[in-house]
C-alpha cells in the first residue's frame, strides 16, 4: 500500500507539470518572439540564451512527466511495484542534473538582463498578460517591472517545487524502516534536493551581483568583460584590497578569471593558470600567473582570508570545469588546487615565446612536464619542459621560406636549447645525427646530404660550436674523394689523408682547406711521389717519384693548360727496386692521428654517463636513440611524433642492466654477458659498439677501402676493444656503488691487456670483420695471387706424386687409407691422403675469432700426427723437417682462398699471451708453408729455416 507522502508527491508533480506548460505558453514562447534584434550581436546572444532556456524547460517537463508516470505506476500497482521504482529515487542524479541545467540557463539570462531586453519589445502584450502572470505568481507586486515579473515567473514555481520535494522526501524517509534497502535511496534524494536549494540561492545571488556589476562599468569595459556564463564572486569595492606591483584600481574575481582594472587597461588572468601562495604577515597573499606575479594586501586579516579563500576555491572550480555543488568550496573534491595542472596559454611578453601558445602541463606558473608550443609562423615544439624552458626530449618543427618545407629537430634539450643527442632532418634533405651543446652541433655527429643532392657529401666526426673541428671523415661522392684527418672552423686543417675513387692516396698537411708543405702520393700502380701538390693533387714544385720498378725521377714538376705534366730533373734508372713494404704496403695516417684521441667524441658521452652514475633520465641524451627518418614528419605540423625507446622505461631498464652485470662476474658468465650486451642495441655497451661500427664503416668502406689504410683500421679496432672494456669496468663500479659494495681494485696494464685481447676483442671483431678483412685482402692481394697460382699448380699432382714432390718420406704416406677401385692405381688417386686434416684446416674460414682460427690450426696438426701414428702403428711425434712438407701438402689440398690475408689478420689480432707459445709456433709454420707455395714449386728441397731434426 502506498504512503500519503507518495500521493502528495504525485499531486506535486501534476501541479508542477501543468505550471511548466503554462509558463511555456505564457512566458517562454512570447519571449522568443519578442527577443531583441538578431542583427545586433547582443540581440543574437539574448536569442540564443532564451532558446537555451526553452530547451532546458522542455527537458524539465520531460523528466517531470517521467517522474509522474513512475508515481502513477506505483499508486496503481503498489504490490508489484516497489518504492525503488520511483524516478526520483533510482535516478535522482539525472533529475538533479536537469534541474541544474535549467538553473544555469535561467541565471545566464538574469546576468545579462535578457528578460528586461525582451520585455521592452512587446510591452503592450505583457501588460495584457499582467493578470495571468499575477495568478501564476504569489506575492507579486503590481508596481514591479515586466522584466522582473518574467524572471519571477520562470524561477518561483521551480523554487517552490524543489522546496516541496525536500519536505516530502524527508517525510517519506521517516516512513521507511532503518533496514529497508530503499531508505538509502530516499535519504540520498532528499540530500541532493536539499543541496539544490542552496545551489539555486547561490546561483541567483551571483547572477544578480554580476548583473549589478555591468551597470557600474563603462560600455567599453562591459563589451570586453561581459559574457553570459561569467559570474562575479568578489569585488574590491565591497572588500577593499591593494594589488602590487600593478596598482590596480579595482579587482574583480569572476568564476573563470581574475580581472584587474587600471585606468583604461584591463588585465585578465585565467584562473586555471593561477597559483595562490599565502603571505607572511597575515594580511597578504601572492598570486602567480605565467607572465605576472603580484600580491593582494587587505587592511585586516579577515579581508585577506575572504579574498584568499574565494580565489583558491574559484581556481579549484575552474580546474574542475563545473560549478561546485551545492556552493562554492563545498563538495567531495579537494579544496586546494593542485600545483601541477594542464592548460593552454598564449605568451605576450617580449622574448622567445612571444605570441607562442603553450598547451600542456604546468607547475607554479611555468610550463613543466609534457607540452606543445606553437608560434604564429608555424614553428612547433612538442616535448618535455622544466621550469618554463624546453628540457628533455623534444621535437621542433621550423618552417622554411619555401612552401610546405620544415626543418625537424628530434633532440634532447637543456634549459631551452638543444643539448645532448639529437637527430635533425632539414628541408634541404640533409640529416644530422649527433650531439649538440647550447643549440649548436658539438661533439660527435654525422651530417649527410640526400643521395640525389647536386653535390652529395657526408661528414662523420667531431664538431665544435656548430663547425667541423677535430678528427673527422668527409666523403665527397661528386669528386670521388674521402678525406680522413683534422678539421678546424669547418675547414680541413692539420694532418690529413686523402683517398680517391681511382685508388690514389695522399698524406700531408692542410691549412684553411688547402694543401700546404710536402706530402706523399701513392698511386694505384704503387708509384710513390714525395713533394708538393696543388688542391687537386696535381704535382707542383720540387718532388721525387719512385716507380714500381725502382726507377726514380727527382726534380721540379709543373702543369699547364693543355700541356700535361712537365718536369725538370734527374732520372735514375740504375736504382735498386724499392722495398715492397715502403710502397705497395706503405701505411698512411699512422702516428698522425693518435688512436686514443681519434674518437673521443664517441667515448666521451659514455664516460660522462658513467661518471654521472648512469642515471636513466640522461641515458638517451648521452648515449643516443634511434628513430626512423620520416619525410612526412618534416612536412606536417599535426603529427609530431617519434618512435623511440620509451623514456619512462630507461630508469628501470638501467637498474636491471646493472643488477644483471653484478650476477655475471665469473669468467665464463662474463663472456656470455658481454656477448649478449654487445649484441643488444638497447644496452649501453651495445649502443657504444653500434656508434663505433658507424665510424668504422664511414672511414673504411667504399672509397675508404684502400690497402694503405689497413694499419689505421687495425689499431682502431684494438682501441675500440680497450674502450669497451673500460666502459664495462665503469658500469661495474657504478653497480657496486649502488649496492654499497667496495669498488674493484684498479687493473694493471698487463691484466687489462689480457682481458682486452682475450675476452673483448674476439667479441667485437665480428662487428668490424667485413671491412677490416677487405683491407687485408687488398694489402696482400699480390702475394695471395702468387699463392693461388701455386695452389693451382700443386692441384695438378695426384696425391702420391705431390707427396713425392714435397719430399715426404714414403713410410709416412697413408696409402693404407686409400681404397682403390678396379683398374685404379695409387699414382692416380687425388685429394684422399690426409683427408681429415685437410677438412679440419678448411674450417679456418668459418670463424672470425683469431683464437678459434688458431685452435683449428692446432687440431689440423693433431690430425696430421694422428694419421702418421696410424700409418706407423705407433704414436709418433713429427720432427720439423717431416712436419713442414706434410703441412704444405694439407694446405695445398685445403685450397683456402686469401690465406695470406687470413694469416696476417690472425698475427695482428691474436692474444699477445700466445706469443712464443704453441699457437705462435704453428702460425709461423703456416706462414712458412704460405711463402713456400708462392715460390717456384720445381724446387725439391723446401727446408728454408726449418732444419731441426728434433720433434716438438
Amino acid at each position: 500500500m502506498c504512503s500519503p507522502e507518495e500521493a502528495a508527491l504525485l499531486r506535486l508533480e501534476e501541479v508542477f507539470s501543468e505550471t511548466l506548460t503554462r509558463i511555456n505558453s505564457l512566458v517562454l514562447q512570447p519571449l522568443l518572439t519578442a527577443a531583441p534584434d538578431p542583427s545586433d550581436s547582443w540581440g543574437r546572444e539574448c536569442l540564443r540564451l532564451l532558446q537555451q532556456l526553452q530547451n532546458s524547460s522542455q527537458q524539465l517537463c520531460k523528466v517531470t512527466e517521467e517522474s509522474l508516470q513512475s508515481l502513477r505506476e506505483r499508486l496503481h500497482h503498489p504490490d508489484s511495484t516497489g518504492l525503488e521504482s520511483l524516478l526520483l529515487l533510482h535516478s535522482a542524479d539525472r533529475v538533479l542534473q536537469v534541474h541544474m541545467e535549467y538553473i544555469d540557463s535561467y541565471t545566464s539570462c538574469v546576468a545579462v538582463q535578457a528578460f528586461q531586453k525582451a520585455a521592452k519589445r512587446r510591452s503592450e502584450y505583457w501588460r495584457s498578460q499582467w493578470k495571468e502572470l499575477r495568478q501564476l505568481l504569489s506575492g507579486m507586486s503590481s508596481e514591479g517591472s515586466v522584466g522582473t515579473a518574467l524572471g519571477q515567473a520562470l524561477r518561483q514555481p521551480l523554487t517552490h517545487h524543489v522546496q516541496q520535494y525536500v519536505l516530502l522526501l524527508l517525510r517519506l524517509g521517516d516512513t521507511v524502516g532503518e533496514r529497508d534497502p530503499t531508505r538509502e535511496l530516499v535519504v540520498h534524494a532528499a540530500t541532493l534536493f536539499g543541496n539544490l536549494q542552496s545551489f539555486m540561492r547561490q546561483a541567483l545571488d551571483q547572477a544578480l551581483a554580476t548583473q549589478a556589476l555591468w551597470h557600474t562599468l563603462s560600455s567599453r569595459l562591459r563589451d570586453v568583460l561581459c559574457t553570459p556564463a561569467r559570474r562575479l564572486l568578489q569585488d574590491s569595492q565591497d572588500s577593499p584590497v591593494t594589488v602590487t606591483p600593478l596598482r590596480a584600481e579595482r579587482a574583480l574575481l569572476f568564476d573563470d578569471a581574475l580581472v584587474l582594472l587600471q585606468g583604461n587597461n584591463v588585465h585578465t588572468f585565467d584562473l586555471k593558470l593561477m597559483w595562490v601562495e599565502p603571505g607572511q604577515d597575515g594580511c597578504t597573499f601572492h598570486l602567480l600567473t605565467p607572465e605576472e606575479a603580484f600580491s593582494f594586501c587587505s587592511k585586516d586579516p579577515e579581508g585577506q582570508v575572504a579574498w584568499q579563500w574565494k580565489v583558491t576555491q574559484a581556481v579549484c572550480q575552474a580546474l574542475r570545469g563545473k560549478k561546485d555543488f551545492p556552493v562554492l568550496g563545498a563538495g567531495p573534491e579537494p579544496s586546494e588546487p593542485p600545483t601541477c595542472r594542464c592548460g593552454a596559454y598564449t605568451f605576450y611578453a617580449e622574448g622567445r615565446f612571444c605570441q607562442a601558445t603553450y598547451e600542456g602541463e604546468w607547475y607554479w606558473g611555468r610550463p613543466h612536464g609534457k607540452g606543445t608550443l606553437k608560434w604564429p609562423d608555424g614553428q612547433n615544439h612538442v616535448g618535455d619542459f622544466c621550469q618554463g624552458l624546453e628540457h628533455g626530449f623534444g621535437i621542433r618543427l621550423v618552417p622554411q621560406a619555401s612552401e610546405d618545407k620544415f626543418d625537424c629537430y628530434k633532440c634532447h634539450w637543456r634549459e631551452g636549447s638543444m643539448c645532448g643527442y639529437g637527430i635533425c632532418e632539414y628541408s634541404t634533405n640533409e640529416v644530422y645525427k649527433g650531439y649538440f651543446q647550447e643549440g649548436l652541433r658539438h661533439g660527435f655527429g654525422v651530417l649527410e646530404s640526400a643521395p640525389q643532392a647536386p653535390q652529395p657529401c657526408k661528414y662523420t666526426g667531431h664538431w665544435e660550436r656548430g663547425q667541423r673541428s677535430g678528427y673527422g671523415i668527409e666523403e665527397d661522392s661528386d669528386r670521388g674523394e674521402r678525406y680522413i684527418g683534422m678539421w678546424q672552423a669547418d675547414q680541413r686543417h692539420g694532418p690529413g689523408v686523402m683517398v680517391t675513387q681511382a685508388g690514389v692516396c695522399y698524406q700531408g698537411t692542410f691549412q684553411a682547406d688547402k694543401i700546404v708543405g710536402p706530402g706523399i702520393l701513392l698511386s694505384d700502380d704503387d708509384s710513390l711521389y714525395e713533394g708538393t701538390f696543388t688542391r687537386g693533387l696535381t704535382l707542383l714544385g720540387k718532388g721525387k717519384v719512385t716507380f714500381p720498378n725502382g726507377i726514380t725521377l727527382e726534380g721540379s714538376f709543373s702543369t699547364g693548360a693543355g700541356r700535361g705534366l712537365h718536369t725538370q730533373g734527374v732520372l735514375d734508372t740504375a736504382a735498386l727496386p724499392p722495398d715492397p713494404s715502403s710502397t705497395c704496403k706503405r701505411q698512411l695516417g699512422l702516428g698522425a692521428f693518435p688512436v686514443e684521441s681519434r674518437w673521443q667524441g664517441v667515448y666521451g658521452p659514455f664516460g660522462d654517463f658513467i661518471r654521472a652514475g648512469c642515471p636513466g633520465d640522461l641515458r638517451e641524451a648521452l648515449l643516443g636513440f634511434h628513430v626512423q627518418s620520416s619525410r612526412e614528419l618534416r612536412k606536417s605540423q599535426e603529427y609530431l611524433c617519434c618512435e623511440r625507446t620509451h623514456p619512462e622505461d630507461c630508469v628501470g631498464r638501467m637498474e636491471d642492466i646493472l643488477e644483471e652485470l653484478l650476477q655475471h662476474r665469473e669468467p665464463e658468465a662474463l663472456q656470455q654477458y658481454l656477448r649478449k650486451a654487445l649484441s643488444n642495441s638497447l644496452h649501453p655497451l651495445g649502443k657504444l659498439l653500434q656508434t663505433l661500427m658507424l665510424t668504422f664503416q664511414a672511414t673504411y668502406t667504399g672509397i675508404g677501402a684502400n690497402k694503405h689504410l689497413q694499419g689505421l683500421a687495425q689499431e682502431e679496432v684494438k682501441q675500440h676493444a680497450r674502450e669497451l672494456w673500460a666502459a664495462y669496468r665503469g658500469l661495474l663500479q657504478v653497480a657496486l656503488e649502488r649496492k654499497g659494495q667496495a669498488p674493484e681494485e684498479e687493473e694493471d696494464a698487463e691484466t687489462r691487456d689480457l682481458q682486452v685481447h682475450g675476452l673483448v676483442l674476439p667479441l667485437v671483431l665480428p662487428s668490424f670483420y667485413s671491412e677490416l678483412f677487405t683491407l687485408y685482402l687488398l694489402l696482400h692481394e699480390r702475394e695471395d695471387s702468387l699463392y693461388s697460382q701455386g695452389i693451382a699448380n700443386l692441384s695438378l699432382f695426384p696425391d702420391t706424386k705431390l707427396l713425392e714432390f714435397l719430399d715426404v718420406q714414403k713410410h709416412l704416406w697413408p696409402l693404407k687409407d686409400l681404397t682403390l677401385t678396379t683398374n685404379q692405381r695409387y699414382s692416380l688417386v687425388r685429394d684422399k691422403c690426409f683427408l681429415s686434416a685437410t677438412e679440419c684446416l678448411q674450417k679456418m674460414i668459418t670463424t672470425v675469432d683469431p683464437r678459434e682460427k688458431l685452435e683449428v690450426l692446432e687440431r689440423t696438426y693433431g690430425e696430421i700426427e694422428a694419421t702418421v701414428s696410424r700409418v706407423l702403428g705407433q704414436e709418433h711425434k713429427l720432427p720439423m723437417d717431416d712436419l713442414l712438407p706434410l703441412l704444405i701438402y694439407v694446405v695445398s689440398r685445403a685450397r683456402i682462398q686469401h690465406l695470406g690475408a687470413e694469416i696476417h689478420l690472425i698475427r695482428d689480432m691474436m692474444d699477445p699471451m700466445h706469443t712464443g707459445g704453441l699457437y705462435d709456433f704453428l702460425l709461423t709454420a703456416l706462414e712458412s708453408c704460405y711463402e713456400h707455395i708462392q715460390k717456384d714449386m720445381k724446387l725439391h728441397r723446401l727446408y728454408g729455416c726449418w732444419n731441426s731434426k728434433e720433434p716438438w
Side-chain angles (χ1 to χ4, degrees), residues 283-577:
C283 293
T284 305
F285 68 94
H286 310 289
L287 296 179
L288 184 65
T289 68
E291 293 185 279
E292 299 281 357
F294 40 88
S295 301
F296 272 45
C297 184
S298 182
K299 293 181 179 179
D300 53 69
E302 291 78 11
Q304 180 265 337
V305 169
W307 265 100
Q308 183 176 331
W309 185 85
K310 281 205 173 180
V311 172
T312 301
Q313 300 313 311
V315 170
C316 289
Q317 181 176 264
L319 288 171
R320 285 192 284 268
K322 61 180 181 179
K323 293 185 182 298
D324 288 351
F325 183 84
V327 293
L328 183 68
E333 294 86 355
S335 58
E336 287 294 327
T339 54
C340 298
R341 58 187 77 160
C342 293
Y345 181 81
T346 300
F347 292 89
Y348 296 101
E350 289 297 323
R352 211 161 44 87
F353 288 177
C354 184
Q355 301 301 315
T357 298
Y358 173 80
E359 185 175 357
E361 298 172 344
W362 297 77
Y363 178 77
W364 281 107
R366 294 182 178 181
H368 190 93
K370 305 287 183 185
T372 302
L373 263 176
K374 292 185 178 182
W375 282 264
D377 64 356
Q379 186 178 173
N380 287 348
H381 182 96
V382 176
D384 299 324
F385 291 79
C386 181
Q387 295 298 319
L389 296 172
E390 304 95 320
H391 192 93
F393 183 78
I395 302 176
R396 175 72 59 88
L397 230 59
V398 180
Q400 298 303 304
S402 54
E403 186 180 353
D404 198 29
K405 285 198 173 182
F406 295 82
D407 288 346
C408 178
Y409 301 86
K410 293 174 275 191
C411 307
H412 278 266
W413 300 69
R414 180 183 297 168
E415 297 178 0
S417 62
M418 291 183 288
C419 189
Y421 187 81
I423 297 176
C424 303
E425 299 167 346
Y426 301 98
S427 59
T428 58
N429 289 325
E430 287 183 315
V431 177
Y432 173 80
K433 297 180 181 180
Y435 292 89
F436 289 85
Q437 184 173 301
E438 296 180 358
L440 299 173
R441 299 169 191 157
H442 192 92
F444 172 76
V446 179
L447 178 65
E448 186 173 10
S449 65
Q452 65 272 20
Q455 293 181 321
C457 65
K458 178 181 180 180
Y459 174 81
T460 304
H462 299 276
W463 302 75
E464 188 172 333
R465 300 201 58 77
Q467 296 181 319
R468 291 171 288 185
S469 189
Y471 183 76
I473 317 298
E474 184 190 52
E475 180 165 339
D476 188 334
S477 302
D478 194 44
R479 294 171 61 92
E481 294 178 350
R482 180 172 296 172
Y483 173 79
I484 303 168
M486 304 306 293
W487 296 74
Q488 183 177 302
D490 237 11
Q491 294 180 319
R492 304 173 192 191
H493 193 93
V497 173
M498 181 87 76
V499 183
T500 72
Q501 205 159 19
V504 176
C505 298
Y506 163 80
Q507 178 177 334
T509 304
F510 290 76
Q511 190 171 0
D513 237 9
K514 295 180 180 178
I515 295 174
V516 295
I520 62 172
L521 186 74
L522 287 162
S523 66
D524 59 338
D525 67 351
D526 296 326
S527 296
L528 171 67
Y529 172 78
E530 300 167 276
T532 55
F533 304 84
T534 66
R535 170 70 172 85
L537 299 182
T538 303
L539 281 57
L540 182 66
K542 291 183 179 180
K544 176 183 177 181
V545 177
T546 302
F547 297 99
N549 58 7
I551 296 175
T552 63
L553 176 61
E554 187 171 2
S556 297
F557 297 85
S558 64
T559 57
R563 296 190 298 116
L565 178 66
H566 286 250
T567 182
Q568 183 177 0
V570 178
L571 181 67
D572 185 356
T573 59
L576 294 173

Side-chain angles (χ1 to χ4, degrees), residues 227-300:
T227 63
R230 178 169 281 174
R231 301 289 181 270
L232 179 67
L233 304 181
Q234 189 82 332
D235 187 345
S236 62
Q237 287 190 349
D238 301 327
S239 179
V241 288
T242 303
V243 183
T244 55
L246 294 179
R247 299 190 178 278
E249 299 164 2
R250 189 175 184 182
L252 302 172
L253 177 63
F254 293 100
D255 59 354
D256 65 331
L258 175 68
V259 176
L260 301 179
L261 303 181
Q262 190 180 30
N264 293 324
N265 296 324
V266 179
H267 303 278
T268 304
F269 302 95
D270 185 357
L271 292 182
K272 292 179 182 178
L273 295 176
M274 182 174 288
W275 284 258
V276 184
E277 185 177 13
Q280 301 295 324
D281 57 3
C283 293
T284 305
F285 68 94
H286 310 289
L287 296 179
L288 184 65
T289 68
E291 293 185 279
E292 299 281 357
F294 40 88
S295 301
F296 272 45
C297 184
S298 182
K299 293 181 179 179
D300 53 69

Side-chain angles (χ1 to χ4, degrees), residues 170-184:
L170 289 173
R171 282 161 50 190
L172 181 62
D174 293 338
T175 66
V176 180
E178 288 288 341
R179 298 185 178 181
D180 194 319
T182 58
R183 179 177 175 78
E184 188 177 339

Side-chain angles (χ1 to χ4, degrees), residues 672-699:
Q672 294 301 320
Y673 175 81
L674 288 176
R675 178 177 284 109
K676 178 181 174 183
L678 292 168
S679 62
N680 183 359
S681 62
L682 297 180
H683 193 287
L685 294 176
K687 283 191 176 189
L688 179 57
L689 179 59
Q690 277 195 335
T691 306
L692 296 174
M693 288 167 59
L694 183 149
T695 63
F696 200 78
Q697 291 164 0
T699 311

Side-chain angles (χ1 to χ4, degrees), residues 777-817:
L777 290 179
L778 295 171
L779 184 62
H780 302 285
E781 185 177 17
R782 184 171 298 174
E783 303 98 289
D784 275 339
S785 177
L786 293 173
Y787 158 78
S788 296
Q789 291 174 15
I791 291 292
N793 292 336
L794 294 178
S795 66
L796 299 175
F797 286 83
D799 287 353
T800 54
K801 291 294 185 184
L802 181 57
L803 290 169
E804 182 181 2
F805 175 75
L806 295 174
D807 280 346
V808 176
Q809 297 183 50
K810 287 192 177 183
H811 71 281
L812 301 179
W813 293 9
L815 298 181
K816 66 166 78 173
D817 290 349

Side-chain angles (χ1 to χ4, degrees), residues 689 692-693 696-697 700-701 710 713 717 720 761-777 843-853 896-906 909:
L689 179 59
L692 296 174
M693 288 167 59
F696 200 78
Q697 291 164 0
Y700 304 111
T701 59
Q710 178 268 339
V717 172
H720 292 340
L761 188 57
L763 295 176
V764 303
L765 187 56
S767 300
F768 306 102
Y769 190 81
S770 176
E771 297 81 10
L772 183 63
F773 190 65
T774 299
L775 297 178
Y776 275 90
L777 290 179
K843 294 177 182 177
M844 179 181 286
I845 63 173
T846 63
T847 179
V848 302
D849 184 350
R851 181 184 177 89
E852 291 179 359
K853 289 177 183 289
I896 296 174
Q897 290 187 325
H898 315 298
L899 182 60
E902 292 277 5
I903 290 172
H904 285 87
L905 188 142
I906 296 170
M909 293 294 170

